Amino acid sequence: MTVAMRHLSAPDLTPVHTEQVRDVLTRPSLSYWQDAWIRLKANRRALVSLWIVVGLLVFTLIGPLMWRVDPATQDLDQLSQPPGVDRTATLVAPPVTWSGEALTDEEATGLRAIGRADTQAVRLHWDPMPEATGGYRVYRNLFPVGPEKAYGLPLLMNMEKTWYEDRLDLRPTTYYYSVAPLDESGEHAGEVQTIELNLNRVITIDEARKRGLIGDEETPAPGATVELKLHPLGTDYLGRDLFARLMHGAQVSLFIGMVAPMLFVAFGILYGATAGFIGGAVDAVMMRFADFVVALPFLLFMILFKFIFQVEAGESGIMPMLVALVILSWPATSRLVRGQILQIREEGYIGASRLLGAKTNYLILRHMIPNTMGVILVTLTFAVPSAIFTEAFLSFIGMGVAPPTPSWGSMCNEGIKTMLTTPHELIFPAVLISITVLAFNLLGDGLRDALDARMRSRE
Amino acid sequence: MLRYTFYRLIQGFITVWFIATATFTAMHMIPGDPLTSEKAMTAEIRANLEAKYGLDKPVGEQYLIYLKNIASGDFGISFTQKNREVNDIIREHFPVSATLGLLAILFAATGGVLFGALTALFRNRAPDYAIMFFVILGISVPGFVVAALGQLSLVNINAFLGFTVLPVGGWGTVAHMILPAMVLGLGTMAYLTRLMRSSMLEIVNSDFIRTARAKGLPATRVFSKHQLRNASLPVVTVLGPAIAGITTGGFVVEYVFAIPGLGRYFVQAVQQTDYTVIMGTTVFYGAFLVFMVIAVDLVYGFIDPRVRLK
Amino acid sequence: MADVTVDESSFARAAGRQLLIYGLLTLIGFTAIMFGLNVMASFVGSDTGSSKAIDASTKSITLALRDEPPQLDSTKATDAISGQILGHVMEGLLRQDAQNKIQAGVAETWEITPEGATFHLRPDALWSDGKPVTAHDFVFSWRTVVDPKTASEYAFIMYFVKNAEAINLGTLPITELGVTGLDDRTLRVEFERPLSFFEKVVAFKTFLPIREDFYKQTKGRYGADTHEMLYNGPFRVTSWVHGASLKVVKSEHYWRRDEIKLNSINWAYMTSDPNATFNFFKDGKIAVAGLSADSLANAMEQRWQIKQFQEGVVFFLEFNQRPDRLTRNLNLRKALQLVNDPSEVVNKVTKLPGYLVSDSLFPVYLDGVKDKFKVEKPPKQIVRDVAAARRHLELAKQELGLKEIPPLALLSDDTPTANVMAEYYQGLFRDTLGLELRIDKQIFKQRLAKMTSGEFDLVTAGWGPDYEDLLTFGDLFASWNLNNRGRYASAEYDRQVRIVQSSMDQVERVEAFAKMQDLIIDDAVILFNYERGASYVTHPQIKGIVRRVIGSDPDFSYAWIDEGQG
């Protein structure tokens, strides 16, 4: 056979142009995860939740960079203040100690206020009452005194002086002050005098300068008004900005809430899947170990980890909490996964796959994990709130993060003590916890639907 | 089956022994002991106290003595409640926690299965949304807030109606149990509802349901015999730990509603480092939990014949 | 679900019907369980459901206890709750009356000299089984307290009695205790050293009697349960469901039984949750409730009359003065002292009425020579002076050879108030002196362990009185006192303590106490905070509740129901 030898040139190497027409019978091939993503995007609730979770992360991580208010700065002029109140304050001179002198040109008699009654001090003076053999008692009420003769908070106990200076947690509101003469046994001995006082919000010039409300050079006359610092969500019991505290608190709550479940669910899956897959004696031993771990007392071990980690003064103690959560919480997940694996292992398609020579790794990756994903994700989305709640519970019994580190749980716990008088201190952290939990639940729902292998064929 | 049960029981005892050992070790590693008191005491008095409670012996010896005692069912005498035995504390307060916990579990399990099935049946329709809304509400608020708000609203309802609908706290009659049990079971119920819903949705698409329906079995039979029963499998799995979790985790509810349960004693004991009470309650709960898990496993094998008990 | 949609709705309907049936069955099941539980509950629970706050027809009242009394064995009781119950069911040689004055108790008459005391017991003082209370019952219980085998934490209060300390430390047999029953009705007590206030000490709960034969019969469980205790007070315990309720009824054997007006007191709830207590009161279940910050406003809204009481407990921050601590430096302590403003603490931080601004180690209610001690010897006032504080801080830095003061550790407990205080001081020291304060929050026993071992710079602390004499506060900072956790040691202070311990002259003693008061301020031993007060509400029909700083508080044994009220 003679072959004509010739030199090949570039055009010779171009592929032959074929006009092969394929039937477009299949949609583009999608990987498992691509498919899941498409279906997740179709689920509006899940998508909204995803955005909420992203929003929470932004709130936590970027928020403090935008709202640059120190969450530890105390504003003792604005204690437990709900959002949206009038912040106008009158500048006054620093307080001078008062030892009961009444103004000499005072014409009024009976119980009267000396000077201005404002949030700095209320100075009361009254004429001696002959029946007061056991001294006097001063009361302060938020409500007018009615026929019940309830005079409100007793402020001064059985003292013989005829004046009183009230500085106790004064708010810009209306107070009803009463003074009662007492007999020797401390019971009311005569007519009780009551006056109504409207308190103005004031701030001393020094204090205003310290807070940067007036410039260092400015020397405004007493009586001028300033606008106190803005706290969009109000303040807490030490006058700290609630908005800033919520953002910093989110760092603790979301850290515990997200990192701990991810770690222990991941470990639980590995553990449970291994036990379920291997089976036999190994399974039995591994599950007994899980039973053992689940029975260990969480509180005791958290204290132990706090000790082992050498938590020093000033540290928040998040790490021991995280470690205790991870080390003690995985058995529930592992039991669940093991149960699922045991069930799937008996399914026909696994046997078929095995017959076709599938390796263990393939079986786990291709069949076991996708088929257990639903249950796992539900577990995970519930583990997030449960971790957040554990943190809150620890705060409730006084074993949560150390102050001044805020967390939503500890803020809730502080807030619940005053839920009737200043509900905003409870509502804001509680609502944030609820939103977080809700978002994770709906996202988990969406993920479950999206990842469920059995739903795949039905699109 | 009998051999399997026996085998599991032996394993259970070993697990309990591990729990006792781990708790004992952890407890003795933590600084501060039950004898540390608010009033400082001289070394001599402290030595007296240590001798009295056997804390002067080496830790190893204390451990052996302790093991010997719990083997004979004696958990010792409490350090904070000085003349009371831990056995008495458990005997008197565990029934309270257990009653409350079981009632809560009953609420949670039946509610969870019923609501879960309902939401799955009416998926993405009004009943689903309505139930899921309450479920989410129930799980998204911390337990102590729910308990406090529950009690507060009850007080206001009683005050508004002028008579006591339900007592706001305390213990003694069934009326005392209803609200606390509901508050306690709420979280678990929500969890079970969701679990049930997701497992119902999986089952509804499985081959054996299709086969059953294709065979022409009546819908009620398919539903109750195949769908409901199989769907409740994961619910049963988590029920074991949930029972233990609820009976031990009732501290908040016991605290808010002034219920004399064991949870309060345990938290107090941890805060006071009361060795004997911590050990007693932990070992007791550990044993309870371990044997509960064994019971659940046996039930599991009974419900699902595919999981053979070997 | 394309393949099953055809009959999906009919399936759903059938399944829904099935579910409805299951639901109904469940409901029926629940009702049955409830009935079953109701029967069961009667075995484990207490009867708290039906009782009202006040029942005038049976002269009984219902109350809440803050916690379960740990036990009612007076030799071992240390806490206020046990003290309260013991005050109702037991009586010592002397008792406190409704005006908190010392009155005759089991002892009808008594003579006290600087060297000792003799008590003559009344013949009609009886135990709850009808047998008379004898001198031997006191000898037995006091010996039990100091017996090293009992290991009583309050044995130190017995140290006023001759040889008590030596016996407690194990160097003398218990029979050497300076207390003897001359006969059944005469008790002779010898003092360790001359003592001027034994009357006040002997009313304390640790000095209550216990009958030997009964004690031995309980085999170490004395006071642990209703029937494992004998009572000789105005009331006796009839039911004690641990953690749930404790009920006492008027004792038919008590010698003053005609003066006791209440027939029974039922502490039907045990809870430390202030909100729950308030809810019980609002629901008409209990007759007395303490008020928290939140419930104060609510009580005003309800138009209730709010009452108040000074608890006599002083709160402060204590400096650690052990050699390795920076806070051993006087100038550093002075700097912190000069920025501390207790009135700001009371008015802006604790924010509760009834809290007094503290300016001394000694609370206001204690007596001096003729008047109250603090009226006779007012303490020096410290006015906040940030500039002076900074000068002291500079001096401290020079003396310590430091450019900057490193962060200080504030040891704090897990109570809400302690948290707020710690956070407040952290902000205060940072804003005024630029000092960093690190909060070390520990639970109860761990905090005590750290206080004992000295792992702190500052610690939040409080001190309440054990007996009604200035000494109960004064000897706290004696260098040998183990409760002096900061290890403040001053030879001058110790000298003054020795004077007040042995002097019989109240004028001399008050002078010495005034010097101690000055030293505490001059040496900046502690930062003053407040004297705690309590606000509470009572049912309008109940009268005569006695509040006490020391002893049974609140005491209902003098109370009565006034039906004309409310």
Side-chain angles (χ1 to χ4, degrees):
Chain A
M1 205 195 275
T2 54
V3 177
M5 297 290 286
R6 66 180 180 103
H7 289 285
L8 291 171
S9 60
D12 295 324
L13 291 174
T14 51
V16 181
H17 190 74
T18 53
E19 282 292 325
Q20 201 178 353
V21 178
R22 282 204 196 99
D23 283 343
V24 190
L25 288 176
T26 57
R27 57 183 175 187
S29 169
L30 288 174
S31 79
Y32 172 65
W33 296 105
Q34 279 171 322
D35 179 61
W37 173 238
I38 285 170
R39 272 181 295 126
L40 183 67
K41 275 197 293 192
N43 184 333
R44 231 194 10 216
R45 273 188 298 176
L47 213 59
V48 170
S49 309
L50 188 64
W51 283 115
I52 291 178
V53 171
V54 172
L56 281 169
L57 289 175
V58 170
F59 178 73
T60 314
L61 301 173
I62 303 176
L65 301 177
M66 310 293 291
W67 180 250
R68 302 179 75 102
V69 170
D70 181 2
T73 300
Q74 299 166 7
D75 186 348
L76 297 183
D77 291 309
Q78 299 190 73
L79 297 174
S80 295
Q81 187 167 281
V85 296
D86 178 26
R87 287 176 288 115
T88 317
T90 313
L91 287 171
V92 291
V96 275
T97 39
W98 181 60
S99 44
E101 312 88 28
L103 296 179
T104 42
D105 56 345
E106 199 79 35
E107 281 179 19
T109 52
L111 179 62
R112 58 197 183 271
I114 303 297
R116 252 186 349 263
D118 54 37
T119 54
Q120 195 178 66
V122 173
R123 291 166 175 182
L124 299 171
H125 199 284
W126 58 91
D127 301 327
M129 303 179 201
E131 62 270 38
T133 47
Y136 303 91
R137 189 176 296 152
V138 176
Y139 294 92
R140 186 177 87 191
N141 206 342
L142 284 169
F143 303 92
V145 177
E148 303 89 353
K149 303 234 161 98
Y151 299 103
L153 304 181
L155 295 173
L156 170 77
M157 298 296 289
N158 315 10
M159 299 294 262
E160 273 153 31
K161 55 189 189 181
T162 57
W163 56 273
Y164 182 70
E165 183 179 35
D166 179 25
R167 304 169 73 107
L168 181 74
D169 193 23
L170 293 166
R171 304 294 169 93
T173 177
T174 303
Y175 287 119
Y176 299 85
Y177 283 93
S178 307
V179 60
L182 302 177
D183 62 17
E184 258 123 28
S185 64
E187 298 293 323
H188 289 193
E191 203 198 332
V192 178
Q193 299 175 17
T194 303
I195 51 165
E196 178 184 337
L197 291 175
N198 279 306
L199 270 59
N200 293 320
R201 188 193 285 283
V202 296
I203 185 168
T204 61
I205 294 173
D206 291 350
E207 198 65 18
R209 188 168 291 133
K210 211 175 93 189
R211 302 206 182 286
L213 301 173
I214 49 175
D216 281 342
E217 290 79 39
E218 286 179 68
T219 43
T225 59
V226 287
E227 188 93 331
L228 294 182
K229 239 191 211 115
L230 172 70
H231 299 291
L233 296 184
T235 58
D236 74 352
Y237 52 92
L238 277 174
R240 293 172 296 193
D241 185 69
L242 214 54
F243 191 46
R245 280 179 71 73
L246 283 171
M247 285 192 296
H248 285 83
Q251 289 170 355
V252 172
S253 294
L254 291 184
F255 179 74
I256 288 287
M258 289 165 83
V259 176
M262 278 178 198
L263 290 177
F264 75 69
V265 166
F267 184 76
I269 293 170
L270 275 179
Y271 193 91
T274 315
F277 201 81
I278 298 175
V282 177
D283 176 37
V285 170
M286 283 178 86
M287 280 301 114
R288 291 307 77 72
F289 183 70
D291 293 348
F292 155 69
V293 171
V294 96
L296 295 177
F298 177 80
L299 289 181
L300 190 68
F301 277 82
M302 208 196 73
I303 300 171
L304 177 69
F305 290 130
K306 211 168 151 182
F307 169 65
I308 291 176
F309 277 76
Q310 296 283 332
V311 174
E312 301 270 326
E315 289 173 26
S316 62
I318 307 177
M319 281 322 278
M321 204 187 285
L322 182 81
V323 171
L325 262 174
V326 172
I327 289 187
L328 298 179
S329 312
W330 57 264
T333 321
S334 72
R335 284 189 66 80
L336 203 63
V337 172
R338 172 183 168 270
Q340 290 281 314
I341 295 280
L342 281 186
Q343 199 181 325
I344 291 165
R345 210 171 58 160
E346 308 288 326
E347 300 270 357
Y349 59 86
I350 297 285
S353 189
R354 243 188 240 277
L355 278 177
L356 289 171
K359 299 243 168 52
T360 310
N361 284 348
Y362 179 84
L363 278 180
I364 292 179
L365 276 176
R366 196 69 197 170
H367 295 297
M368 302 279 187
I369 291 185
N371 278 303
T372 48
M373 216 53 179
V375 172
I376 287 169
L377 279 170
V378 173
T379 314
L380 184 66
T381 54
F382 269 91
V384 172
S386 108
I388 291 178
F389 285 169
T390 303
E391 188 271 317
F393 167 72
L394 289 172
S395 296
F396 180 71
I397 61 167
M399 288 162 79
V401 287
T405 312
S407 79
W408 290 348
S410 64
M411 291 172 76
C412 260
N413 186 39
E414 294 295 341
I416 205 159
K417 292 192 197 101
T418 54
M419 65 178 173
L420 295 175
T421 39
T422 54
H424 71 281
E425 285 179 65
L426 170 65
I427 290 170
F428 289 123
V431 162
L432 272 176
I433 290 184
S434 298
I435 288 177
T436 313
V437 169
L438 185 73
F440 273 96
N441 279 314
L442 295 180
L443 183 63
D445 257 1
L447 281 176
R448 192 198 68 84
D449 290 352
L451 291 177
D452 191 335
R454 271 157 296 189
M455 304 276 244
R456 241 190 130 183
S457 55
R458 269 179 276 282
E459 294 295 315
Chain B
M1 184 71 189
L2 211 67
R3 244 190 86 194
Y4 173 81
T5 313
F6 176 74
Y7 192 57
R8 284 297 306 269
L9 285 178
I10 295 290
Q11 285 179 343
F13 282 111
I14 295 173
T15 314
V16 172
W17 172 54
F18 265 81
I19 293 165
T21 309
T23 313
F24 187 90
T25 316
M27 216 166 54
H28 283 266
M29 278 173 77
I30 295 171
D33 63 39
L35 301 181
T36 316
S37 86
E38 215 151 359
K39 301 265 162 164
M41 56 183 96
T42 58
E44 290 87 350
I45 296 175
R46 211 189 138 81
N48 289 341
L49 276 168
E50 284 181 355
K52 184 183 158 88
Y53 288 104
L55 295 178
D56 52 342
K57 299 190 177 73
V59 178
E61 200 182 329
Q62 286 183 44
Y63 172 69
L64 290 179
I65 292 171
Y66 189 77
L67 279 190
K68 210 179 85 197
N69 286 343
I70 55 170
S72 61
D74 176 14
F75 288 125
I77 293 170
S78 163
F79 283 87
T80 35
Q81 309 227 322
K82 289 188 194 72
N83 292 355
R84 252 181 114 198
E85 283 158 31
V86 179
N87 288 21
D88 283 349
I89 294 180
I90 294 175
R91 193 169 49 237
E92 282 170 44
H93 303 292
F94 177 68
V96 174
S97 289
T99 314
L100 183 66
L102 283 179
L103 202 57
I105 277 286
L106 268 178
F107 273 125
T110 47
V113 169
L114 281 177
F115 291 142
L118 263 179
T119 50
L121 274 180
F122 298 95
R123 192 177 180 214
N124 293 341
R125 281 166 37 202
D128 181 19
Y129 289 135
I131 292 173
M132 286 319 279
F133 176 76
F134 282 105
V135 162
I136 295 290
L137 210 67
I139 54 165
S140 64
V141 184
F144 60 90
V145 179
V146 175
L149 291 179
Q151 192 184 48
L152 186 71
S153 32
L154 190 58
V155 171
N156 288 328
I157 289 171
N158 286 353
F160 178 75
L161 294 176
F163 68 94
T164 303
V165 184
L166 287 175
V168 293
W171 191 249
T173 66
V174 164
H176 288 98
M177 302 175 189
I178 294 173
L179 187 65
M182 283 189 353
V183 169
L184 185 57
L186 196 63
T188 313
M189 187 178 93
Y191 179 75
L192 294 181
T193 304
R194 286 176 53 89
L195 203 64
M196 186 68 193
R197 181 177 188 267
S198 96
S199 112
M200 278 284 281
L201 289 177
E202 271 172 35
I203 296 279
V204 90
N205 294 319
S206 64
D207 298 335
F208 64 91
I209 296 287
R210 240 174 289 178
T211 316
R213 292 180 66 182
K215 273 198 313 197
L217 272 183
T220 48
R221 200 172 152 75
V222 174
F223 177 72
S224 55
K225 186 95 179 151
H226 293 282
Q227 204 173 332
L228 209 56
R229 183 168 155 177
N230 279 297
S232 45
L233 209 61
V235 174
V236 175
T237 321
V238 295
L239 215 52
I243 288 174
I246 270 190
T247 42
T248 53
F251 170 75
V252 170
V253 169
E254 287 172 12
Y255 176 79
V256 171
F257 291 98
I259 295 168
L262 200 49
R264 270 164 82 189
Y265 280 86
F266 176 71
V267 173
Q268 202 183 356
V270 170
Q271 286 169 336
Q272 302 274 338
T273 326
D274 189 339
Y275 282 174
T276 44
V277 177
I278 294 177
M279 287 299 293
T281 43
T282 309
V283 171
F284 176 76
Y285 270 139
F288 180 69
L289 195 78
V290 165
F291 294 110
M292 193 64 80
V293 167
I294 293 174
V296 168
D297 280 355
L298 297 177
V299 172
Y300 202 87
F302 180 70
I303 297 181
D304 187 357
R306 285 171 303 176
V307 182
R308 269 165 230 113
L309 303 177
K310 294 174 200 111
Chain C
M1 300 183 194
D3 48 349
V4 285
T5 38
V6 189
D7 61 341
E8 195 55 41
S9 63
S10 73
F11 179 77
R13 234 176 292 134
R17 264 199 305 278
Q18 193 72 14
L19 266 183
L20 193 72
I21 294 167
Y22 283 144
L24 284 174
L25 283 177
T26 315
L27 210 63
I28 294 166
F30 264 118
T31 324
I33 289 167
M34 290 292 181
F35 272 110
L37 281 176
N38 212 0
V39 177
M40 242 178 74
S42 54
F43 298 116
V44 293
S46 59
D47 181 27
T48 53
S50 51
S51 54
K52 283 196 311 205
I54 280 188
D55 190 340
S57 60
T58 59
K59 291 187 189 162
S60 56
I61 59 170
T62 306
L63 302 161
L65 267 188
R66 200 172 67 246
D67 214 336
E68 155 106 354
Q71 29 64 50
L72 295 179
D73 181 346
S74 55
T75 61
K76 292 177 189 166
T78 54
D79 63 295
I81 295 160
S82 303
Q84 187 195 353
I85 305 295
L86 280 170
H88 287 84
V89 300
M90 296 294 291
E91 187 173 80
L93 291 166
L94 306 179
R95 66 184 167 94
Q96 287 173 290
D97 68 7
Q99 279 73 46
N100 284 316
K101 296 276 180 306
I102 297 292
Q103 296 290 352
V106 172
E108 204 163 15
T109 55
W110 63 96
E111 303 99 41
I112 296 186
T113 63
E115 290 74 38
T118 309
F119 295 91
H120 304 282
L121 275 53
R122 67 179 70 247
D124 53 349
L126 303 175
W127 288 104
S128 46
D129 62 355
K131 291 185 185 161
V133 180
T134 66
H136 180 74
D137 301 334
F138 287 94
V139 175
F140 173 73
S141 85
W142 295 14
R143 282 179 179 174
T144 310
V145 170
V146 294
D147 187 344
K149 286 205 282 294
T150 310
S152 168
E153 286 171 40
Y154 255 72
F156 70 90
I157 199 132
M158 205 60 86
Y159 287 4
F160 295 113
V161 180
K162 193 177 171 191
N163 293 338
E165 188 163 6
I167 296 166
N168 197 224
L169 298 181
T171 53
L172 279 177
I174 58 166
T175 46
E176 291 298 307
L177 186 67
V179 56
T180 36
L182 299 179
D183 58 55
D184 269 2
R185 286 176 43 205
T186 316
L187 187 75
R188 173 71 198 160
V189 184
E190 282 160 84
F191 299 153
E192 180 77 23
R193 58 177 97 87
L195 184 62
S196 60
F197 52 91
F198 191 67
E199 276 185 5
K200 289 165 180 169
V201 174
V202 82
F204 196 75
K205 58 178 177 272
T206 315
F207 292 84
L208 291 170
I210 291 176
R211 206 168 77 202
E212 186 170 5
D213 61 329
F214 191 88
Y215 184 88
K216 297 218 159 118
Q217 185 192 312
T218 57
K219 297 189 177 64
R221 286 181 46 84
Y222 186 78
D225 240 320
T226 315
H227 302 294
E228 272 153 338
M229 189 171 163
L230 267 188
Y231 313 96
N232 76 330
F235 297 90
R236 61 187 168 81
V237 180
T238 53
S239 114
W240 182 3
V241 182
H242 290 282
S245 70
L246 191 146
K247 189 175 176 181
V248 300
V249 301
K250 186 171 156 180
S251 170
E252 58 273 30
H253 293 295
Y254 183 54
W255 62 276
R256 258 178 353 106
R257 57 188 168 272
D258 297 339
E259 293 168 44
I260 305 301
K261 307 206 181 69
L262 288 179
N263 280 337
S264 78
I265 306 170
N266 186 9
W267 284 277
Y269 307 93
M270 293 184 186
T271 176
S272 53
D273 181 357
N275 288 343
T277 317
F278 184 77
N279 287 337
F280 288 138
F281 185 82
K282 200 172 167 186
D283 205 35
K285 295 290 182 214
I286 55 172
V288 179
L291 296 176
S292 65
D294 202 29
S295 45
L296 276 169
N298 205 288
M300 279 191 265
E301 201 177 342
Q302 301 284 333
R303 304 284 199 276
W304 290 334
Q305 292 181 22
I306 301 167
K307 301 198 167 110
Q308 216 167 67
F309 165 66
Q310 289 297 316
E311 294 180 338
V313 186
V314 179
F315 285 82
F316 46 82
L317 300 191
E318 190 171 341
F319 287 108
N320 189 353
Q321 304 199 24
R322 285 174 178 77
D324 57 329
R325 292 287 165 172
L326 294 179
T327 36
R328 191 177 171 80
N329 183 287
L330 178 63
N331 276 312
L332 178 59
R333 296 202 304 272
K334 281 270 175 201
L336 298 180
Q337 186 185 41
L338 280 165
V339 294
N340 180 39
D341 181 1
S343 79
E344 188 170 88
V345 172
V346 166
N347 290 323
K348 301 283 188 182
V349 183
T350 60
K351 290 180 273 191
L352 286 167
Y355 279 50
L356 296 181
V357 176
S358 170
D359 54 3
S360 163
L361 173 63
F362 302 103
V364 286
Y365 75 93
L366 285 167
D367 290 330
V369 183
K370 287 196 184 72
D371 204 337
K372 297 290 175 195
F373 171 75
K374 281 182 72 181
V375 176
E376 290 175 1
K377 302 282 176 194
K380 292 178 197 168
Q381 295 297 312
I382 307 161
V383 180
R384 175 183 283 179
D385 185 345
V386 178
R390 289 199 180 122
R391 283 197 297 277
H392 278 288
L393 189 65
E394 283 312 312
L395 282 175
K397 283 179 191 167
Q398 283 169 22
E399 286 165 9
L400 293 164
L402 293 168
K403 273 213 176 67
E404 280 307 320
I405 301 284
L408 299 176
L410 170 62
L411 182 60
S412 160
D413 61 32
D414 55 356
T415 59
T417 329
N419 276 351
V420 180
M421 293 294 289
E423 288 173 306
Y424 163 73
Y425 274 105
Q426 191 174 46
L428 176 73
F429 291 162
R430 188 187 57 186
D431 293 347
T432 51
L433 298 174
L435 265 181
E436 192 188 336
L437 193 62
R438 290 194 175 152
I439 301 170
D440 185 7
K441 185 174 99 167
Q442 296 288 341
I443 57 170
F444 189 68
K445 293 276 168 164
Q446 273 70 47
R447 169 172 160 272
L448 288 174
K450 281 197 152 183
M451 275 171 86
T452 310
S453 61
E455 293 167 65
F456 63 93
D457 293 311
L458 289 106
V459 59
T460 54
W463 193 253
D466 289 320
Y467 46 88
E468 206 173 322
D469 186 84
L470 289 157
L471 183 59
T472 189
F473 287 91
D475 74 355
L476 178 59
F477 289 106
S479 61
W480 60 80
N481 191 330
L482 293 169
N483 290 309
N484 174 0
R485 311 277 185 169
R487 295 281 179 274
Y488 165 68
S490 151
E492 178 58 23
Y493 193 92
D494 289 354
R495 205 172 64 82
Q496 303 299 336
V497 175
R498 287 210 179 81
I499 292 172
V500 295
Q501 274 182 337
S502 51
S503 167
M504 298 300 291
D505 175 8
Q506 186 66 357
V507 178
E508 187 191 7
R509 293 183 82 229
V510 163
E511 280 306 322
F513 280 123
K515 283 192 185 120
M516 285 151 76
Q517 179 171 262
D518 288 346
L519 279 169
I520 293 290
I521 293 168
D522 294 342
D523 289 346
V525 181
I526 53 179
L527 298 180
F528 301 124
N529 290 343
Y530 52 84
E531 277 178 43
R532 194 165 67 186
S535 300
Y536 62 101
V537 280
T538 60
H539 192 286
Q541 290 185 350
I542 185 163
K543 301 284 169 193
I545 300 171
V546 182
R547 301 298 308 249
R548 306 185 196 284
V549 171
I550 300 159
S552 170
D553 171 66
D555 188 343
F556 296 94
S557 51
Y558 299 92
W560 71 93
I561 296 169
D562 182 354
E563 283 180 76
Q565 294 283 320

